[in-house]
Amino acid sequence: MIRVALAGNPNSGKTTLFNALTGSTAHVGNWPGVTVDKREGEYKRKGFEPISIIDLPGIYSLSPYTPEEVISRNYIIDEKPDCVINVVDATNLERNLYLTTQLLEMDVPIVIALNMIDVVQKNKDEINYKKLSKALGVPVLPVSALKEKDFSDLMQTVNEEASKKRKGTTLLDKTKLNDLINQIKELYEEKDESNSLFHAIKLIEGDSIEKKDHDKIYQKVEEAKSNFNDEIFGNDLEAIIADERYRFIQAECSVSFKRHQEVEYIVDKKGRKKKVKEGTISDRIDKVLTNRVFGLIIFAAILFLVFHLTFGEDLFYLNAMGVFNNTDVTLGVGTTWEGILFSSGAGIQSPGVLLQTILVGFTDFITEQVGVGLDLAGASSWANALICDGILAGIFSVLSFLPQILLLFLFFSILEDSGYMARVAFILDRIFRRFGVSGRAFMPMIMGFGCSIPAMTNTRTLATDRERTATIRVIPFFSCSAKLPILTACAGATVTLFGVGNADLITLGMYGIGIVIAIIALLTLRNTTLRGETPPFIMELPAYHWPKFSSLMLHVWDKCKHFVKKAFTIILVSNLVIWVLQSFTPSWQYIEYGDEGFVTSLTTNDSILANIGKIIQPIFTPLGFGSQLGTFGWVFAVGAITGLIAKENVIATFAMLGAVVASVPGVGGIVSDIEGASDVAMMIQATNINIPGILAFVVFNMTTIPCFAAVATAKAELNKGKLKNTIFFWLITSYIAGTVIYLVGTWWWTTFIVLVVIALLIVSIHFINKARDKRANLTLKN
Amino acid sequence: MEKTLDTFKIGEKGVIIKVNGEGVTRRRLFDMGVTPGANVKLVKKAPLGDPLEVTIRNYELTLRKNEAKQVILKVEE
Ligand SMILES: Nc1nc2c(ncn2[C@@H]2O[C@H](COP(=O)(O)OP(=O)(O)OP(=O)(O)O)[C@@H](O)[C@H]2O)c(=O)[nH]1
Ligand SMILES: [Mg+2]
């Protein structure tokens, strides 16, 4: 099977083309650097041999700057595809063709796909493909990866080209560098290297990878360099080559692009000349969104709106404003759906909460029916408990958050595909710099709200190792969708039980605490173990466009599948294990319970789970959910531990325990329309934990070691040997954060002690760093 | 008149004469089209004054003042 690689600038539409050719659903977004790993698919059409297609991360040149760009370069050099489709953004020819001039130097057949041709046509611009193809010496085909369905012309050409062999060509052969290039190229050929032309030119450019691999040959370049003299650039060969490339593009290629002449004036009915509004719509939207005064405020408002639409119990604050205090209007009284859309007690729900309520009504119904069915079928009480309280309660408690997770994900996808995220990076860079990272780090961080795993992989687009390590370490603090149930359920329980505040705002506040901890952690890391220069920030800002409905739905659907699959695999298995551990004593006696409480003298406190929990429980005493919590205190310790496998397990564990703990005297009777809240409320009643303790529990779960899968990703993305420290960092951070919150919340005067300790730490870090710099300066001088 | 990019006013245009500096950052600037001969227009500054947004080779590029300091341009009158 022939293999065809897609190469091109970031954001040129490679993945869109890949999806269209192979029927895949890989992530597409209006942000340079969405794809960070290669991905394979198959092009299958009638009349064609199947072709293997490989999507690669976007690159601006074949001298990689970041790790994901290395992947693309290495793929083309090492894996030697049969043909490369160079995806070129036709609205941005000059910069895109710069990469093309380098690809042409490789010994591989190339076909140029001029993408986004729909936009070119809409702008009434014209491109002369024949002229372009002649100048470059390879086929050029106009396509629109987004709008077209049929790519048989393109693939036909690819098939033809792949069967021929192509030797690299360079535009530099007409320059005075030609002799040097040929000389170096021969040295490579003597070593039987393929792509000799490409390697030779890279070496002359002083490419760092090339220099490392061929330091012997590089000495020849150095020699030639010392004799070289250009009237403008001296012997700066790197600059000369970049200059020549762009010169060629301007002279040979830009002529094939004819820009539609904008009319400057229109004549209105009365014959007056009127100036046409300056700038495209995109420009005008941009003026508002990145406004010097309002830019940051607009961003904060958008973020709040996204969270409010997802979690808001009281969408328009009708209830908070007391609009319905004296009238009792609740829709659908007496039905299962009582108060679902609207109730005077809670106002109007946000779409996220509404969808959740509907789903919960449905799953509750299933659980009930299954329970009745099992009883009728004469199933034993433990089988009934296993299925209803074990499997169903656990899974449904997790699944019920699916609507909110998908909605949050949808909002972020809209922001991403519109091109706004890139502007946010632009707006926030100045602030992020203070924390030692560049504005680019914003993308992996916001992705963290969805899932830490792709977020950690996305750090490949960051420019320096230390920035990458620091970002990976704080990503879990941006609470992922699996932690969302912990946040909302604990917030809901606190509100219902203690009658304080508003669940919506508490949830938002907890997200906020996570972000604050991330900032403190970044500052600390970048001033201690990961000290280094602030990485540069050079980024393309893609044009705004309307998010495409079908690709949004694809993203959401992908996320949905992933989540449901996880619920029925890893979470189901964890639930089964936890149920067994909580239902049997260490000597494998079944702990039976019924509506009236435990049937025998055995209670859940005698279970294996409780015994394990009690051993770990003391560790959490400083955080407020340890030994001070009496006999049932182990539930929180157990929750925190099961969360290490998958964070969904925390609330699933509580849901399973809820069924048994409810039979403890003085527990139960809490009704909350917030999913999971009544389970957490029962844990609170059983243990008498205080509010700071709950908060510390949430913060601990939010900032501690993430789930197994995320740890595995961190291991893959971090440099060798960094994982151990990273895990240690997570443990320490969560422990300290939890302790501080519990202490300060319980005894307000401890604030002073905490502040003094922080001040002392800051001062000592400052002096240690000063001493270090001094020493570094001294060694430099010597 | 010659000037570095970080001293440009909003709306000001120029042609690049030279890109100073060294190493990967300069390389990246070259790769993104910041080379001698390119026309540059400063479009705007971020809300906190830095980074800058410029139009170059028909697309929008953002870079910090720190990097812009290395780019020397001839200002259009
Ligand atoms: N109008 C139009 N938009 C397109 C076309 N192809 C892609 N896009 C849009 O361009 C943006 C970038 O597309 P991607 O496929 O993610 O680009 P990529 O080259 O894979 O980008 P990286 O993975 O970041 O290197 C998305 O918002 C697409 O919807 C096209 O033919 N026409
Ligand atoms: Mg891509």
Side-chain angles (χ1 to χ4, degrees), chain A residues 15 27 34-35 55:
Chain A
T15 306
H27 197 110
V34 175
T35 310
D55 185 23

Side-chain angles (χ1 to χ4, degrees), chain A residues 10-16 26-29 31 33-36 55-58:
Chain A
N11 220 38
S12 58
K14 297 175 295 301
T15 306
T16 313
H27 197 110
V28 167
W31 163 278
V34 175
T35 310
V36 290
D55 185 23
L56 295 174

